[in-house]
Amino acid sequence: MSVKREQLLDAANILLAEKGYHGFSMKELAQTAEIAVGTTYLYFNDKKDLIQSLHQRNLHTLAESMFDGFDATSSIFEQYSCIWRNFWQYSLNHPEAILAKSQFDHLPSIVQLREELLAKELFKEVGIMLHVGVEKEIFKPLPIDVLATLSIETCANLARKHILGITRIEGKLLDDVILACWNSIAFKPESTK
Amino acid sequence: MSVKREQLLDAANILLAEKGYHGFSMKELAQTAEIAVGTTYLYFNDKKDLIQSLHQRNLHTLAESMFDGFDATSSIFEQYSCIWRNFWQYSLNHPEAILAKSQFDHLPSIVQLREELLAKELFKEVGIMLHVGVEKEIFKPLPIDVLATLSIETCANLARKHILGITRIEGKLLDDVILACWNSIAFKPESTK
Amino acid sequence: MSVKREQLLDAANILLAEKGYHGFSMKELAQTAEIAVGTTYLYFNDKKDLIQSLHQRNLHTLAESMFDGFDATSSIFEQYSCIWRNFWQYSLNHPEAILAKSQFDHLPSIVQLREELLAKELFKEVGIMLHVGVEKEIFKPLPIDVLATLSIETCANLARKHILGITRIEGKLLDDVILACWNSIAFKPESTK
Amino acid sequence: MSVKREQLLDAANILLAEKGYHGFSMKELAQTAEIAVGTTYLYFNDKKDLIQSLHQRNLHTLAESMFDGFDATSSIFEQYSCIWRNFWQYSLNHPEAILAKSQFDHLPSIVQLREELLAKELFKEVGIMLHVGVEKEIFKPLPIDVLATLSIETCANLARKHILGITRIEGKLLDDVILACWNSIAFKPESTK
DNA sequence: AATGAATGAGGTTTCATTCAT
DNA sequence: GATGAATGAAACCTCATTCAT
């Protein structure tokens, strides 16, 4: 992977988060990346291609982070907690990626579909964990997609608010929140102590 | 309120959902609304003003819908359930508003702040319900913002997936999902029966 | 003459001086004149027609002022001085007319030519005075146009500077300036005393 | 200095003379300069910047021409005559600059003021000559601004008429006119021979 | 006669992309 | 590979003019 390509993707991530897809120009991008405009087109076919590549890179980076220290032999709650915290940490480390997220919604739908499949592929293990949890009657018998939305997507929402400074989530509160997410999908949720 | 103004806001809602703020042109908007371009500027100062007005209208419409059939004397669960279902119904009736939601994130920050305050004002009663719930030890002692994110924002996420056809949520499943959201914030969550 | 028509011409004079022909809109004009936009078109065919009418009105007003207290039997110097002072006074009373002057230069040339002829007609008497002066060997034997430029146009230039506050011309200085203009065209100029 | 920039300024000079500031479009300008519209904005921030730059270039060019062959040791009359003729020649060589002159009057006033100062700076030597003339009792004791208006601005007026073909000024007539201008400010004007 | 909402052509400016260096 | 000047389509917005009331 060329270093210039990475510089461009980094810059794109920042600008995308700040201004949205149409909100920044290729010139702006090049300047932010400290690269000449023309050079951009050596690494990407066009703006769309660049954003798409960025999305894929973000997904890959996220997928890698999500399973940091993951232990498939530990309890389901520990697995769940590990993934949740990894996602949280990733969000704090890559605020641009979280803020830019909504921008990918407006890619042409064919591309979007391909991305969706890629995401499914990358996060297969999350799906497996949820699936196993359902089988063991630890999680409610809801569609996997729904379970994922209830627990993981909520993490993204909270992270967004935390990053923007709308609500500060730290220490004990973070533990509580994880438990809250767990409770939303747990078959036998635990009462607050 | 002028009928042309409404036509324009309706068209803007649709285009915003489809293409994002910078993604549609004023010409496109005018064509969708079946109005001349210049006419647009009789009702709005500029594109920014239009989007902002749209956001306010959406918030008002939503706020009205949210408290349809709301009974402050009923049980907290019934209150919660009522609001949740109203929000769900609103989302199905106004898919554009839900899909466009993330687009408002890129408004200039001063405007955004004003909107945020407006939202707080409009949804004050939701806050009150959550607050009362916390006092009565029905909800966990978490910040109101966090409680709202955990339960209501999740509704928006699910609605989005439902609208896009990613997951179909109906009948019994909807009841389950509401319970799941309730459980995420309930002090003594109920086990699945 | 309708009063509304006059209101419009007055407003046009001001706006023309401030912003130039293309620099103000018909809406602005109507607002300044405290009249509805549509009404403007009851009195003038279009913007060009309005400006042209304004120019004619200005020329007529000027022509009338120029010969205020004019005595064809007095000495040439007194005649000259009278016209010069009248022009000066007119300029102070109608600063817009002076400032707008250059704006008429960009009218379509056919119209412009008609204006030029009109001007010649209106100021025929000035021409006559200059002509008589040349015959009597009071003025230099130069083309009438040149004599007019040297003496009268200079008055407009000075008036413009005076109005804009670039140079203040009053009392004795005004007398001196008139003599200076006279000297530029006099056959036997007078030394300064 | 880029050649494209010069092309643009040349084109702007012509169009400004023909149509005034608001009277020509950037598209027209680009076409006249045989350059793409977008390219214009590589050399100037916007239309205002372009016009302002043009004005400065014109002032500099004029200032250079004005002192061609100027000899500070020659008699005041010769100095005066030299400057006058240089201005005249410049006007014939740059008709656009003369015709466009009045268009600069509608620049925003701050800019206008800066330009005024620049002009004062560039033509300082003219002021000095006039000042010396007054001290030596060759010119009348009038404000320098007034002396300049009386003699030099008249040159511009005559040049404008000559260029437009309203009056033809050549040979002996030109000498006469210069003497006329001199006489308007001379302490002891010379009679016509 | 008077109004002002509505129009759409045309204004200024931006931007993704190309290509000669 | 790397550059950035050049391009022209298309963006947002304004404006002279019309016409139903």
Side-chain angles (χ1 to χ4, degrees), chain A residues 24-26 41 46-47:
Chain A
F24 71 93
S25 71
M26 294 301 273
Y41 289 86
D46 52 25
K47 194 175 180 179

Side-chain angles (χ1 to χ4, degrees), chain D residues 16-29:
Chain D
L16 200 62
E18 266 177 35
K19 317 196 171 189
Y21 180 78
H22 294 277
F24 72 93
S25 71
M26 294 303 273
K27 201 180 162 196
E28 239 176 321
L29 174 71

Side-chain angles (χ1 to χ4, degrees), chain B residues 132-152:
Chain B
V132 169
V134 171
E135 298 242 308
K136 291 192 180 174
E137 297 204 327
I138 292 171
F139 295 141
K140 297 174 189 171
L142 300 174
I144 300 298
D145 272 341
V146 172
L147 293 177
T149 303
L150 283 169
S151 52
I152 303 297

